[in-house]
Amino acid sequence: MNAPLRRVGVVAMVLFGLLFANLNWIQAYKADEYRNSDYNGRVQVAEYERKRGNIEAGGTALATSKETGGKLRFLRTYPGGEKYAHVLGYKPVNLGDTGIERVENDFLAGTSDALIANRIKDMFTGDETGGGNVLLTLSKRAQDAAFNGLSNNQVGAKKGAAIAFDPRTGAVQALVSMPSFDPNPLASHDTDEATAAYNKLESAEGGPLKNRALSEVLPPGSTFKIVVAAAALENGIGKNTQIPAGPSYTPPTSGTPIRNAVPSICPESEVSLISAVTESCNTGFAKLGVELGADTVKEKARQFGFEQDDLTVGQLGEGGLPVAASRTGAMQGPDGSTDPAALAQSSIGQRDVKMTPLQGALIAGAVANGGSQMRPYLVRQLLAPDRTTSYYTAKPRELRQPVSGQVASDLRDMMVSVVENGTGRNAKFNGYTVGGKTGTAQSGPQTPDHGWFIGFALDSKGTPVSAVCVVLEEAGSGGSGEAARIAGKIMQAAAADSGGR
């Protein structure tokens, strides 16, 4: 009997040891994960005992909490509905939170280390001091212009995005993605109702939960010509230098000719670089890209921000809303050597080149700001629950300098020519100098083209006040002109909200 008992005892000791190790693993390494889980009911109830702080912009509360008298004491509400949905996100009971609600959750909930003094005070007073307040950079007028422009666009596009920011600081002035959604049903305390609302949005046509301004990449079409023009300016070509053009160009290794949008665009054998940008000359830029070479084009795109995998938009230096990386593609054949046909198509923003709307705005912003590209941010300030103390105030920071001041000046002249004399006339508005670049990008063999516009506005002193990108997906032939019109309205609103500086 002793041997079987010893074996049982050894097994019991091993099982006890494993249980002990597992408990220590949970306590030491998994406690935070379980405590902060979206499915931890006790944590959820405790979180709703304290009033969540506001998210505000321009002195207006965009996300608030109202008392319910129920088990979950406070209900999160979003007075602006669809207009701010992709910035704010939502704070649900039984689902994962998103947007600024997620990024700034600890501060809004009052559990941030910055607010520990309030929690200590509450231990003695019995109070439940609310969470802190998050103040955003958004311009209400610019956000209105972006939302209304996309919602009521004149070409019938159902999907698109717009983003604008101050080129001098990186402060985001507007961010809209369409189709949008109403976050209020997702924050309902009726978890069945919230789940049903989420499932409906998740399966809805057009993907309303997607933040197209930051997370979706599309071929940028002719807006990418600004990147190629920058590379040309840095490699011995001036804005008035004549470059090869013509009505058609068939790259080496390819039997497929590249043509201009209409026969009247750069039919001559040579045009100046500024004319090629103004007219949006496909043949000129296809030939120019092949002449510069894949390494040069790809490197210049990288310097503007392509291939960056870790950019976020929230607080400066902290986590924020994730941004998808824009890509240039290989521009190479199967053997790894440069493929002139792929490079030619890439140089006019097609082939494997893909870009987020934010990246388009960053290109325009760097040109407007003398070659300095500022880090974009959404959070302007973090205020205490009683609004007497600021725990964070944004201090603008440069992200990179993709081009010199002289190259930026030449690009600025070319982009102004596009709006004054070329395809971007719809972006003009009184009192400001507007520059930009339109883009029409093929979306597929059986679908309409995407319409793009990237641009900037300068005041009477030449100071940049706004940089913008608008994309209308599958908008057809008039898409880029309509994108330019919407962009002009956004920049005009942003300029008005900034006091016309």
Side-chain angles (χ1 to χ4, degrees), residues 454-477:
I454 64 173
F456 56 79
L458 313 174
D459 68 12
S460 58
K461 298 179 181 179
T463 303
V465 296
S466 188
V468 68
C469 178
V470 175
V471 61
L472 297 172
E473 297 185 31
E474 299 180 6
S477 59

Side-chain angles (χ1 to χ4, degrees), residues 55 108 144 147 193 226 304 345 395 426 429 437 493:
I55 304 176
L108 290 164
D144 284 347
F147 184 79
E193 177 185 318
I226 298 303
F304 268 107
Q345 288 285 344
K395 296 179 180 179
N426 287 355
F429 58 95
K437 184 69 191 79

Side-chain angles (χ1 to χ4, degrees), residues 220-226 245-246 258-262 264-266 271-286 347-348 414 417-418 421-424 436-440 452 480:
S222 292
T223 61
F224 190 71
K225 291 173 182 174
I226 298 303
I258 292 174
R259 294 187 174 87
N260 300 307
V262 294
S264 60
I265 294 176
C266 62
V271 295
S272 66
L273 182 60
I274 190 170
S275 294
V277 172
T278 303
E279 294 184 73
S280 202
C281 178
N282 288 340
T283 56
F285 272 94
S347 298
I348 60 172
M414 288 189 256
S417 181
V418 170
N421 311 304
T423 57
K437 184 69 191 79
T438 54
T440 300
W452 287 83
S480 62

Side-chain angles (χ1 to χ4, degrees), residues 73-208:
R73 285 184 56 199
F74 296 97
L75 174 68
R76 199 62 165 166
T77 63
Y78 303 95
E82 297 184 1
K83 188 179 297 181
Y84 295 92
H86 290 95
V87 175
L88 304 179
Y90 47 88
K91 178 64 179 176
V93 176
N94 61 325
L95 303 165
D97 44 346
T98 65
I100 292 296
E101 289 279 32
R102 182 176 186 86
V103 171
E104 298 296 343
N105 178 64
D106 289 351
F107 193 79
L108 290 164
T111 58
S112 167
D113 290 344
L115 300 174
I116 191 170
N118 290 328
R119 299 202 299 275
I120 293 173
K121 182 188 69 174
D122 290 349
M123 292 172 60
F124 295 97
T125 64
D127 294 335
E128 288 285 351
T129 303
N133 303 291
V134 176
L135 278 56
L136 302 181
T137 59
L138 295 178
S139 154
K140 292 195 298 178
R141 292 183 186 178
Q143 188 77 3
D144 284 347
F147 184 79
N148 294 335
L150 290 177
S151 300
N152 305 304
N153 71 83
Q154 297 174 6
V155 292
K158 303 297 184 184
K159 297 180 291 184
I163 185 166
F165 68 95
D166 185 332
R168 299 163 297 175
T169 64
V172 175
Q173 298 162 329
L175 192 162
V176 174
S177 176
M178 294 295 291
S180 190
F181 64 95
D182 182 358
N184 286 292
L186 300 172
S188 170
H189 291 178
D190 183 331
T191 56
D192 290 338
E193 177 185 318
T195 300
Y198 176 83
N199 291 338
K200 183 178 180 180
L201 289 169
E202 179 71 8
S203 61
E205 185 178 357

Side-chain angles (χ1 to χ4, degrees), residues 35-50 71-74 91-96 189 191:
R35 183 166 55 250
N36 296 322
S37 170
D38 295 323
Y39 303 100
N40 187 329
R42 288 193 303 169
V43 170
Q44 289 173 346
V45 171
E47 192 171 19
Y48 283 85
E49 290 175 355
R50 190 188 305 271
K71 181 180 180 182
L72 302 181
R73 285 184 56 199
F74 296 97
K91 178 64 179 176
V93 176
N94 61 325
L95 303 165
H189 291 178
T191 56

Side-chain angles (χ1 to χ4, degrees), residues 316-327:
L316 287 168
E318 301 291 337
L321 308 185
V323 180
S326 299
R327 305 291 188 192

